[in-house]
Amino acid sequence: MMQHMIKQWSTILLALLTTTHVPAQNGILIPEIINYSKKVYESGNQNRAVDQDRRGLLYFANDDGLLVFDGNYWKTYPLPNGSIVRSLKVADDRIYIGGQQEIGYFFFDKKGGLTYQSLKQLIPPGETEFSDVWHVVQCRKDIFFRSNKRIFRYHDGRITAFKSINWGFLGVSRGEVIGQQYEKGLVLFKDGQWQPLGNKLDFSNDKVSVRSVSDFGTQDILLTTLKTGVYIIHDNAINKFETPSTAILASEIINFAQAIDTSLTVIATRLGGYYVIDTRAGIVQHLTKQEGLQSNTVNTAFVDKEKNIWLGLNNGIDLVIYNSPINHITPNHESKSPGYSAAIYDNQLYIGTGVGLYNVPVGPGNDMSGMQKSLSLVKNGNGLIWGLSVVNNQLLVGRNDGAYAVRNNSCVPLDTSTGFWFFQPLDARVPCPRVIAGTYNGVNLYHFAAGEFLNPKIHTSFESAKYIVVSGRDIWVAHPYQGLYKLSINDTGGLSNQPYKDVHNLLSAGHNHLFKIRGQIVLATRKGIFSYDSAIGDFRESEFFKKLFGAAPPSYLREDTQGNIWFVEGKSPGVVDLSSPEDPAIIYFSELNNSILGNDEEFIYPVNKNNVLIAGEIGFYHIDYEKYKKTDHSINVLLRTVTASHKRDSTLFGGYLAGQSAGDTGDLVKFQHDIRYKWNSLHFEFSSPCFGGIVEYKCRLMGYEKEWSSWSRKTERSYTNLPAGNYIFQVRARNDIGHQSSVSQFIFTISPPWYNTILAYGMYVVLLTAILYFFYKRQQKKYLVQHANRLRKQREAFEEEQQQLQYRHQLEMEKNEKEIIRLKNIKLEAEVEHNNAQLASNTMNLLQKRELLNKIKDEILIIQEEHEPEKRTRNLRRIIKIINEQLESIDDWERFSQYFDKSNNDFLKILKEDHPLLTAADLKLCAYLRLNLSTKAIADLLNLSVRGVESSRYRLRKKLSLANDISLFDFLAAVGNTDQNKL
């Protein structure tokens, strides 16, 4: 009893202490907010409850039904009666829902789909009168459904109903079911009964409208009401939680509250967006439509496994990446101006934007997590702020209209002659007597004395000097497009500049920047990163940076106090983590890709390991780098849909797995049946419940592909006309910092077409055997018939052939006998003709000789009688002439040719007809060659030399057009030959 009283007094004392607590200031760090409008999820406007299953899928109670989101795809499952889903609760592998006159649950069926099972049939008779079911809660093995008139308890397959005039609320906290009953007020379900909770405050008769109960701190329960504020339940004692912060919350009309962890709670309101409070009711965060919510009316809030906050709105869904180490700072929500520069000075964070200079106090150690919500505009701070420099314990501001110093929270002009970038001391002394400033048209040199910056008009003019690096006595200035300059201070204290001679072609056509990294002057161009070597008085390529960045040098570099090097590459920020110098790691913050400034306006301000500011297109981004490194960036990938196509689509797997949690193993689905061959075109959809950031996927189909696909943001893959076989579809995901998920797999088999199965092969064998046997028997029969016919025909043919042979033999014998007789006659005739011709020729020759001899005799007698020598000589000559004339006598040749043709089958006649160009001399030569006379004999007959005969033979061959391989004698011997002509 005493102990109970002590606890009650402790609770009262705590309440009294908290009533005097001033609400903590809300931080200016705005987390990333992702808006999902109705057009995005394509379902009803209002969303009243949110829950998450073991695999990370999110479920929303939506006007149009149960709305499911897996990180990529939204899908709505309407209730059978088409009513609004008012409430839901995920328990094990079921999603219990409450609708309008409907209670039940969705479960994962054998195909991985969501199937609805109504529980109305289990409601006892007489208890079925209810309308909207506003709450569904789970406590151990019990599921409770709350309507206005009844609460239904579902336990072990049975439903029990509890009546009331009005059940105003139902919730669960600290393992207890808490309700609000019209008759009894707050009640607690215990031992199967509703028992009163607390005995001090009266919640009966609907005097108070309870909205939520949630864990609060380590032991308490936070109870929120619609209009009467917030209460604390401690050991069944209820006390009003009254602080200025809770008064603010009550005025915004609280709709719902849920614990983020033991120290923080999110509260959804009807009028003021949502709040995050600590256990002392201090407001840690407050976001409204101004900060990026779609609406200030938040029906419900849900904290997922990653401690992201989901907000169910009247007109959509918002996701707040609450636990992210990356947040946004927006000094002016109306202008949405870029951030250009930042600095911490005098325990204040100063932020320079395109419209002005803002400041806010920082906590101890420059902690930015507790800064107030609204940054204040510094007096006279309107303008484009390019640079903030803390020099000689003063904050100097470079603006488009001049240089200013911040004094007493006001911008005091120093030099308004031109636009300024920033200031830099010439050495490390504090205060430094000489300070240089980069301006729109060169560099100014200032003297510092008695707390004032004095300008004796010392200036060197060349180009806009935004990038200046001082290292010892070396002062270098870079212009992104105009090149590089080296400054020097002469003996009189004046400034001069000398353009850099780029003999090694280091500078690029643009983006030439100077930085001081690791105590060295570093030149970054599009051609690489170069460090200044004072020994040679020139820049040389940096091997250190080349190993880090290769052929893609960054455009901005900044070193932090831990030696890490922050950079911007394109519009992607990152850091070279040198916490292990021997193994530097490059980390990219891809969450900020294309959201930060680029094109020579990059800016990073690493305050410490927990606070790094990066200039963004709107304001600044804040990175808690230490938290970023410790954040669990694990990711998992889910198979969401597998469909097969033929003439329509058929779902093989609907995306839901019973009894499986999102973990390191990935989904493993084995399709239990073989897929028919005609359904061999498959479509896979997959996703990752990684909310916020960029997720990429790669996949492959083992059994069809050997290599993984390239990383892509596509969340689907199709395969058409797959051959029969066993397959495993594999997919894995990768988040924006490179962490990969385990592989999720879908195992399936495509059966061969009916004509390619074992049964079909057996049928083919049987059919082929039958066909072969049929053709064999048919051919056998045909062969026997053909063989018999062939034997008969052969016999008949043989007999006929024998008869013909005998007849032909007889004819041949008779013909041969006649031919023999004819040939004998021809031979005899030829012999007779030859003999006659020979006789005639001989006779002729005898006659000619006789005549010639007589003529010669007469002439000799005349010569004998002549006595004069001259006349004798003349007569001898006449005798010789007679002999020559006789030798050349044409008549002799004509006679010879006639006799020759008669004896040689008209040889000369045929030869003349076939070759009309032959001369008489040619014919003579042909006749003599036909007689096979020697060349010498022919020469004597033709009265020619042997060489002349050879020439005549050559000309004769040409006239006869004889080829070289044909003998002239053989050709002439064939002329007039009867057998040769037949051939």
Side-chain angles (χ1 to χ4, degrees):
M1 185 68 174
M2 181 64 67
Q3 185 178 5
H4 180 69
M5 291 180 64
I6 293 174
K7 288 183 178 180
Q8 283 189 328
W9 281 107
S10 299
T11 303
I12 296 171
L13 179 60
L14 175 63
L16 291 174
L17 289 173
T18 54
T19 57
T20 60
H21 175 62
V22 178
Q25 299 291 349
N26 185 28
I28 66 168
L29 303 183
I30 307 300
E32 179 184 4
I33 300 173
I34 302 175
N35 303 134
Y36 298 105
S37 65
K38 178 182 177 181
K39 291 183 179 179
V40 174
Y41 59 75
E42 297 180 343
S43 196
N45 278 327
Q46 291 192 2
N47 299 276
R48 296 175 180 81
V50 188
D51 208 347
Q52 188 175 29
D53 68 11
R54 292 184 291 190
R55 296 173 69 221
L57 299 177
L58 284 159
Y59 302 88
F60 300 84
N62 185 266
D63 282 353
D64 289 351
L66 176 66
L67 179 63
V68 184
F69 183 48
D70 59 16
N72 289 303
Y73 300 102
W74 296 87
K75 190 170 183 179
T76 303
Y77 296 85
L79 295 181
N81 64 359
S83 71
I84 296 172
V85 176
R86 297 288 191 186
S87 55
L88 63 82
K89 179 62 183 177
V90 176
D92 299 325
D93 294 321
R94 294 179 177 180
I95 302 95
Y96 292 91
I97 62 93
Q100 295 173 311
Q101 292 188 333
E102 180 62 47
I103 60 173
Y105 60 87
F106 285 89
F107 66 96
F108 307 151
D109 60 28
K110 293 181 179 180
K111 282 192 174 183
L114 272 185
T115 301
Y116 183 72
Q117 175 63 55
S118 177
L119 295 176
K120 285 181 64 177
Q121 72 278 6
L122 299 180
I123 299 176
E127 304 290 350
T128 57
E129 184 183 348
F130 67 97
S131 55
D132 294 279
V133 178
W134 297 100
H135 288 106
V136 180
V137 300
Q138 178 195 16
C139 185
R140 291 175 283 277
K141 294 183 179 181
D142 293 342
I143 304 295
F144 294 86
F145 303 86
R146 180 190 76 85
S147 67
N148 289 336
K149 300 295 183 181
R150 287 171 176 82
I151 287 180
F152 299 103
R153 178 196 181 198
Y154 178 61
H155 177 77
D156 288 340
R158 299 177 60 188
I159 288 181
T160 305
F162 300 93
K163 292 183 181 180
S164 175
I165 295 174
N166 182 47
W167 285 101
F169 171 77
L170 182 67
V172 173
S173 180
R174 302 290 181 196
E176 301 290 348
V177 180
I178 300 173
Q180 185 184 19
Q181 189 180 30
Y182 181 84
E183 297 85 354
K184 299 179 182 179
L186 284 180
V187 292
L188 186 71
F189 188 78
K190 191 172 183 180
D191 298 329
Q193 300 294 326
W194 294 99
Q195 301 178 9
L197 175 62
N199 53 10
K200 183 178 179 180
L201 299 177
D202 186 9
F203 287 83
S204 63
N205 299 323
D206 292 337
K207 299 182 183 71
V208 177
S209 177
V210 178
R211 305 303 293 172
S212 68
V213 291
S214 63
D215 296 353
F216 192 69
T218 58
Q219 298 179 351
D220 298 334
I221 297 175
L222 182 71
L223 184 145
T224 65
T225 64
L226 185 64
K227 296 181 180 180
T228 56
V230 179
Y231 297 81
I232 296 292
I233 302 176
H234 181 83
D235 284 345
N236 291 335
I238 306 173
N239 293 285
K240 188 72 176 289
F241 195 16
E242 293 184 304
T243 70
S245 297
T246 57
I248 294 174
L249 296 174
S251 67
E252 302 281 19
I253 305 179
I254 299 173
N255 278 334
F256 189 79
Q258 182 181 356
I260 298 175
D261 51 33
T262 57
S263 61
L264 298 173
T265 300
V266 57
I267 295 180
T269 72
R270 182 177 298 179
L271 303 177
Y274 87 89
Y275 291 80
V276 175
I277 63 172
D278 58 23
T279 55
R280 300 182 66 189
I283 297 176
V284 176
Q285 187 178 86
H286 178 207
L287 296 186
T288 64
K289 190 173 182 179
Q290 178 176 307
E291 284 75 32
L293 300 184
Q294 296 180 81
S295 170
N296 285 335
T297 300
V298 181
N299 295 326
T300 187
F302 175 75
V303 180
D304 67 16
K305 297 176 181 179
E306 305 298 327
K307 294 190 178 179
N308 301 312
I309 299 175
W310 294 84
L311 305 176
L313 312 175
N314 275 344
N315 59 345
I317 298 169
D318 281 343
L319 167 61
V320 180
I321 312 298
Y322 179 78
N323 199 36
S324 173
I326 301 177
N327 291 282
H328 200 195
I329 299 176
T330 306
N332 189 321
H333 292 285
E334 295 180 357
S335 67
K336 298 186 182 299
S337 173
Y340 291 110
S341 185
I344 290 181
Y345 171 71
D346 196 21
N347 297 322
Q348 298 271 331
L349 170 64
Y350 287 84
I351 289 180
T353 71
V355 295
L357 178 64
Y358 298 83
N359 69 342
V360 61
V362 294
N366 296 326
D367 181 24
M368 300 183 189
S369 61
M371 294 186 296
Q372 69 181 41
K373 181 178 180 180
S374 298
L375 288 99
S376 302
L377 180 66
V378 175
K379 186 178 180 180
N380 196 29
N382 292 320
L384 175 56
I385 311 298
W386 286 121
L388 297 174
S389 309
V390 178
V391 179
N392 294 341
N393 294 321
Q394 293 193 37
L395 179 62
L396 304 182
V397 182
R399 292 178 20 177
N400 64 322
D401 59 351
Y404 295 79
V406 177
R407 295 169 182 169
N408 298 322
N409 201 36
S410 177
C411 288
V412 178
L414 296 179
D415 188 343
T416 58
S417 59
T418 184
F420 280 72
W421 298 108
F422 65 94
F423 291 80
Q424 188 170 346
L426 285 180
D427 56 54
R429 290 177 292 175
V430 180
C432 182
R434 290 190 296 184
V435 177
I436 58 175
T439 73
Y440 279 11
N441 54 16
V443 175
N444 291 355
L445 177 64
Y446 296 86
H447 292 280
F448 183 78
E452 296 293 335
F453 294 91
L454 306 174
N455 182 12
K457 304 300 181 182
I458 302 174
H459 175 77
T460 177
S461 178
F462 45 96
E463 284 292 345
S464 178
K466 186 176 182 180
Y467 297 92
I468 302 177
V469 174
V470 178
S471 181
R473 299 181 61 85
D474 296 322
I475 305 174
W476 289 87
V477 181
H479 187 279
Y481 297 93
Q482 298 299 325
L484 198 60
Y485 302 86
K486 186 174 184 180
L487 304 187
S488 59
I489 301 175
N490 53 36
D491 296 337
T492 62
L495 279 175
S496 61
N497 71 81
Q498 180 181 359
Y500 171 70
K501 295 180 180 179
D502 189 16
V503 296
H504 301 295
N505 195 27
L506 306 181
L507 300 177
S508 55
H511 295 280
N512 300 301
H513 304 140
L514 276 176
F515 308 99
K516 188 173 183 180
I517 305 295
R518 308 178 81 185
Q520 291 184 316
I521 300 174
V522 175
L523 170 65
T525 75
R526 286 174 174 165
K527 298 180 180 179
I529 299 179
F530 310 89
S531 59
Y532 184 71
D533 189 343
S534 57
I536 63 174
D538 203 349
F539 291 88
R540 63 171 56 188
E541 188 172 25
S542 171
E543 292 297 327
F544 173 76
F545 285 108
K546 185 177 181 181
K547 290 180 181 178
L548 291 174
F549 299 109
S555 58
Y556 181 87
L557 297 168
R558 180 76 177 262
E559 187 176 10
D560 65 17
T561 55
Q562 287 79 39
N564 303 317
I565 301 173
W566 295 77
F567 64 87
V568 175
E569 184 181 307
K571 295 187 76 173
S572 300
V575 61
V576 180
D577 193 314
L578 293 169
S579 53
S580 298
E582 67 282 355
D583 186 24
I586 297 181
I587 299 174
Y588 289 90
F589 302 96
S590 54
E591 299 95 332
L592 302 181
N593 286 354
N594 298 315
S595 297
I596 66 170
L597 292 180
N599 299 320
D600 306 325
E601 293 179 345
E602 304 92 336
F603 179 79
I604 298 178
Y605 183 40
V607 180
N608 52 43
K609 62 183 180 181
N610 298 108
N611 299 278
V612 179
L613 298 180
I614 300 179
E617 293 178 344
I618 300 175
F620 277 84
Y621 290 96
H622 174 274
I623 300 177
D624 186 337
Y625 182 53
E626 191 70 13
K627 181 179 179 181
Y628 191 92
K629 292 194 293 183
K630 294 178 180 179
T631 300
D632 180 13
H633 296 285
S634 61
I635 184 174
N636 62 299
V637 62
L638 308 179
L639 288 168
R640 294 300 297 131
T641 305
V642 181
T643 57
S645 300
H646 176 45
K647 294 181 179 179
R648 56 181 177 83
D649 289 342
S650 176
T651 301
L652 305 181
F653 175 64
Y656 300 93
L657 284 175
Q660 184 164 340
S661 300
D664 298 331
T665 58
D667 288 348
L668 177 60
V669 182
K670 185 174 182 179
F671 195 65
Q672 298 299 322
H673 306 285
D674 289 354
I675 301 171
R676 296 175 64 185
Y677 182 75
K678 66 180 181 180
W679 296 89
N680 63 349
S681 295
L682 273 72
H683 179 76
F684 299 87
E685 292 181 358
F686 36 86
S687 67
S688 175
C690 178
F691 309 108
I694 299 171
V695 179
E696 295 179 318
Y697 305 86
K698 69 176 181 179
C699 53
R700 68 175 174 179
L701 183 61
M702 293 184 65
Y704 184 75
E705 300 169 316
K706 292 183 178 180
E707 303 296 330
W708 288 87
S709 66
S710 58
W711 289 106
S712 169
R713 297 179 69 177
K714 291 183 63 176
T715 57
E716 58 186 358
R717 186 70 179 267
S718 295
Y719 298 91
T720 58
N721 299 320
L722 290 174
N726 299 318
Y727 298 97
I728 302 177
F729 177 75
Q730 296 180 320
V731 61
R732 71 190 323 158
R734 178 180 70 177
N735 59 21
D736 44 19
I737 65 171
H739 286 217
Q740 297 185 20
S741 71
S742 299
V743 176
S744 289
Q745 303 181 94
F746 182 81
I747 304 172
F748 64 98
T749 298
I750 295 179
S751 61
W754 65 267
Y755 52 81
N756 199 19
T757 61
I758 295 176
L759 179 60
Y761 287 146
M763 293 176 61
Y764 297 154
V765 172
V766 173
L767 182 61
L768 181 60
T769 303
I771 291 173
L772 290 176
Y773 181 77
F774 171 76
F775 278 102
Y776 168 75
K777 299 302 290 184
R778 181 181 176 184
Q779 288 298 108
Q780 185 182 46
K781 182 178 180 181
K782 184 177 180 181
Y783 173 76
L784 292 175
V785 173
Q786 289 178 347
H787 183 66
N789 292 335
R790 187 163 57 251
L791 290 177
R792 179 178 55 78
K793 289 180 179 179
Q794 286 179 352
R795 186 171 59 254
E796 293 174 353
F798 179 76
E799 292 175 353
E800 184 179 357
E801 184 179 359
Q802 291 299 318
Q803 292 177 358
Q804 290 180 354
L805 286 174
Q806 289 179 359
Y807 177 73
R808 283 200 301 268
H809 179 70
Q810 184 66 31
L811 291 177
E812 194 69 26
M813 291 294 291
E814 294 177 356
K815 182 178 179 181
N816 289 340
E817 289 178 0
K818 290 180 181 180
E819 184 67 18
I820 291 171
I821 294 171
R822 188 183 68 81
L823 291 176
K824 287 180 179 180
N825 292 334
I826 291 173
K827 183 177 180 182
L828 290 174
E829 290 176 358
E831 289 178 354
V832 170
E833 289 180 0
H834 176 72
N835 291 335
N836 291 335
Q838 189 174 10
L839 178 62
S841 176
N842 290 337
T843 303
M844 192 67 178
N845 288 335
L846 290 174
L847 290 174
Q848 288 178 349
K849 289 179 180 179
R850 185 177 183 89
E851 183 180 353
L852 177 61
L853 291 175
N854 289 330
K855 193 174 182 178
I856 293 173
K857 179 181 176 182
D858 293 339
E859 290 297 326
I860 292 173
L861 290 175
I862 295 172
I863 294 171
Q864 194 175 18
E865 293 178 357
E866 187 66 51
H867 298 284
E868 294 181 7
E870 291 182 359
K871 290 181 178 181
R872 289 174 63 90
T873 302
R874 189 168 51 247
N875 290 332
L876 289 173
R877 289 176 178 172
R878 191 169 56 250
I879 292 171
I880 295 169
K881 182 178 179 183
I882 291 171
I883 294 170
N884 289 335
E885 288 175 353
Q886 184 65 34
L887 292 173
E888 295 176 355
S889 174
I890 298 174
D891 293 338
D892 291 344
W893 163 250
E894 289 179 353
R895 287 194 296 271
F896 173 81
S897 63
Q898 291 176 358
Y899 295 139
F900 186 82
D901 276 348
K902 286 182 179 180
S903 59
N904 289 279
N905 298 319
D906 294 331
F907 171 80
L908 294 175
K909 183 178 180 181
I910 293 171
L911 193 63
K912 183 67 175 176
E913 289 176 354
D914 292 342
H915 304 283
L917 297 179
L918 296 178
T919 63
D922 294 331
L923 295 173
K924 287 181 182 180
L925 179 59
C926 290
Y928 295 151
L929 290 173
R930 172 73 178 259
L931 293 174
N932 199 19
L933 298 178
S934 66
T935 303
K936 187 175 183 305
I938 294 173
D940 292 339
L941 290 172
L942 294 177
N943 199 20
L944 295 173
S945 63
V946 173
R947 188 174 183 85
V949 173
E950 294 296 333
S951 298
S952 297
R953 286 168 64 97
Y954 176 76
R955 288 191 295 273
L956 179 61
R957 289 183 67 89
K958 280 198 167 185
K959 289 181 179 181
L960 295 176
S961 301
L962 295 182
N964 292 332
D965 58 342
I966 299 177
S967 170
L968 180 60
F969 174 77
D970 293 339
F971 174 77
L972 295 176
V975 175
N977 191 325
T978 304
D979 295 336
Q980 183 70 24
N981 290 339
K982 288 179 181 180
L983 294 175

Short mmCIF file of all heavy atoms in Angstrom, two decimals, residues 811-825:
data_model
loop_
_atom_site.label_atom_id
_atom_site.label_comp_id
_atom_site.label_asym_id
_atom_site.label_seq_id
_atom_site.Cartn_x
_atom_site.Cartn_y
_atom_site.Cartn_z
N LEU A 811 19.41 -63.51 -140.81
CA LEU A 811 19.54 -62.33 -141.67
C LEU A 811 20.99 -61.90 -141.79
O LEU A 811 21.45 -61.49 -142.86
CB LEU A 811 18.70 -61.18 -141.10
CG LEU A 811 17.18 -61.35 -141.18
CD1 LEU A 811 16.50 -60.15 -140.50
CD2 LEU A 811 16.70 -61.50 -142.60
N GLU A 812 21.69 -61.95 -140.67
CA GLU A 812 23.08 -61.53 -140.67
C GLU A 812 23.93 -62.44 -141.55
O GLU A 812 24.81 -61.97 -142.28
CB GLU A 812 23.60 -61.54 -139.22
CG GLU A 812 24.91 -60.81 -139.03
CD GLU A 812 24.75 -59.31 -139.21
OE1 GLU A 812 23.63 -58.78 -138.98
OE2 GLU A 812 25.74 -58.66 -139.59
N MET A 813 23.62 -63.72 -141.50
CA MET A 813 24.36 -64.66 -142.33
C MET A 813 24.11 -64.36 -143.80
O MET A 813 25.07 -64.32 -144.60
CB MET A 813 23.92 -66.09 -141.99
CG MET A 813 24.35 -66.57 -140.61
SD MET A 813 26.14 -66.72 -140.46
CE MET A 813 26.39 -68.12 -141.56
N GLU A 814 22.87 -64.17 -144.13
CA GLU A 814 22.54 -63.84 -145.53
C GLU A 814 23.17 -62.53 -145.94
O GLU A 814 23.72 -62.42 -147.05
CB GLU A 814 21.03 -63.79 -145.70
CG GLU A 814 20.34 -65.12 -145.51
CD GLU A 814 18.82 -65.01 -145.61
OE1 GLU A 814 18.35 -63.84 -145.76
OE2 GLU A 814 18.12 -66.02 -145.48
N LYS A 815 23.10 -61.55 -145.08
CA LYS A 815 23.67 -60.23 -145.39
C LYS A 815 25.18 -60.32 -145.55
O LYS A 815 25.77 -59.71 -146.44
CB LYS A 815 23.31 -59.23 -144.28
CG LYS A 815 23.82 -57.83 -144.52
CD LYS A 815 23.39 -56.92 -143.40
CE LYS A 815 23.90 -55.51 -143.62
NZ LYS A 815 23.51 -54.60 -142.51
N ASN A 816 25.79 -61.07 -144.65
CA ASN A 816 27.26 -61.23 -144.72
C ASN A 816 27.67 -61.89 -146.01
O ASN A 816 28.68 -61.49 -146.63
CB ASN A 816 27.74 -62.03 -143.52
CG ASN A 816 27.65 -61.24 -142.22
OD1 ASN A 816 27.56 -60.00 -142.25
ND2 ASN A 816 27.63 -61.93 -141.07
N GLU A 817 26.89 -62.92 -146.40
CA GLU A 817 27.22 -63.60 -147.67
C GLU A 817 27.11 -62.64 -148.84
O GLU A 817 27.98 -62.60 -149.72
CB GLU A 817 26.30 -64.79 -147.87
CG GLU A 817 26.59 -65.96 -146.92
CD GLU A 817 25.62 -67.11 -147.11
OE1 GLU A 817 24.73 -67.00 -147.99
OE2 GLU A 817 25.74 -68.12 -146.38
N LYS A 818 26.01 -61.84 -148.87
CA LYS A 818 25.84 -60.85 -149.94
C LYS A 818 26.94 -59.81 -149.90
O LYS A 818 27.45 -59.39 -150.95
CB LYS A 818 24.49 -60.17 -149.80
CG LYS A 818 23.31 -61.08 -150.11
CD LYS A 818 21.99 -60.33 -149.95
CE LYS A 818 20.80 -61.24 -150.24
NZ LYS A 818 19.51 -60.51 -150.10
N GLU A 819 27.31 -59.38 -148.71
CA GLU A 819 28.35 -58.35 -148.58
C GLU A 819 29.68 -58.89 -149.06
O GLU A 819 30.45 -58.18 -149.73
CB GLU A 819 28.44 -57.90 -147.12
CG GLU A 819 29.43 -56.77 -146.87
CD GLU A 819 28.99 -55.48 -147.52
OE1 GLU A 819 27.80 -55.34 -147.87
OE2 GLU A 819 29.84 -54.58 -147.69
N ILE A 820 29.93 -60.15 -148.73
CA ILE A 820 31.20 -60.75 -149.18
C ILE A 820 31.24 -60.79 -150.70
O ILE A 820 32.27 -60.45 -151.33
CB ILE A 820 31.35 -62.16 -148.58
CG1 ILE A 820 31.57 -62.06 -147.06
CG2 ILE A 820 32.51 -62.90 -149.24
CD1 ILE A 820 31.51 -63.38 -146.35
N ILE A 821 30.12 -61.20 -151.29
CA ILE A 821 30.06 -61.27 -152.76
C ILE A 821 30.23 -59.87 -153.33
O ILE A 821 30.97 -59.68 -154.31
CB ILE A 821 28.73 -61.90 -153.21
CG1 ILE A 821 28.68 -63.37 -152.77
CG2 ILE A 821 28.54 -61.77 -154.71
CD1 ILE A 821 27.32 -64.03 -152.97
N ARG A 822 29.55 -58.90 -152.73
CA ARG A 822 29.64 -57.51 -153.24
C ARG A 822 31.06 -56.99 -153.14
O ARG A 822 31.58 -56.37 -154.06
CB ARG A 822 28.69 -56.61 -152.44
CG ARG A 822 28.58 -55.20 -153.04
CD ARG A 822 27.68 -54.36 -152.17
NE ARG A 822 28.28 -54.11 -150.89
CZ ARG A 822 29.20 -53.15 -150.66
NH1 ARG A 822 29.57 -52.36 -151.64
NH2 ARG A 822 29.68 -53.00 -149.47
N LEU A 823 31.67 -57.21 -151.97
CA LEU A 823 33.05 -56.74 -151.78
C LEU A 823 34.01 -57.39 -152.76
O LEU A 823 34.93 -56.75 -153.29
CB LEU A 823 33.47 -57.01 -150.34
CG LEU A 823 32.78 -56.18 -149.26
CD1 LEU A 823 33.22 -56.62 -147.87
CD2 LEU A 823 33.07 -54.69 -149.45
N LYS A 824 33.77 -58.70 -153.00
CA LYS A 824 34.62 -59.39 -153.98
C LYS A 824 34.45 -58.79 -155.37
O LYS A 824 35.43 -58.59 -156.10
CB LYS A 824 34.29 -60.87 -154.02
CG LYS A 824 34.78 -61.64 -152.79
CD LYS A 824 34.42 -63.13 -152.89
CE LYS A 824 34.95 -63.91 -151.69
NZ LYS A 824 34.60 -65.36 -151.76
N ASN A 825 33.20 -58.46 -155.68
CA ASN A 825 32.94 -57.84 -156.98
C ASN A 825 33.59 -56.47 -157.08
O ASN A 825 34.18 -56.13 -158.11
CB ASN A 825 31.45 -57.72 -157.23
CG ASN A 825 30.78 -59.09 -157.42
OD1 ASN A 825 31.43 -60.06 -157.83
ND2 ASN A 825 29.48 -59.17 -157.13
#
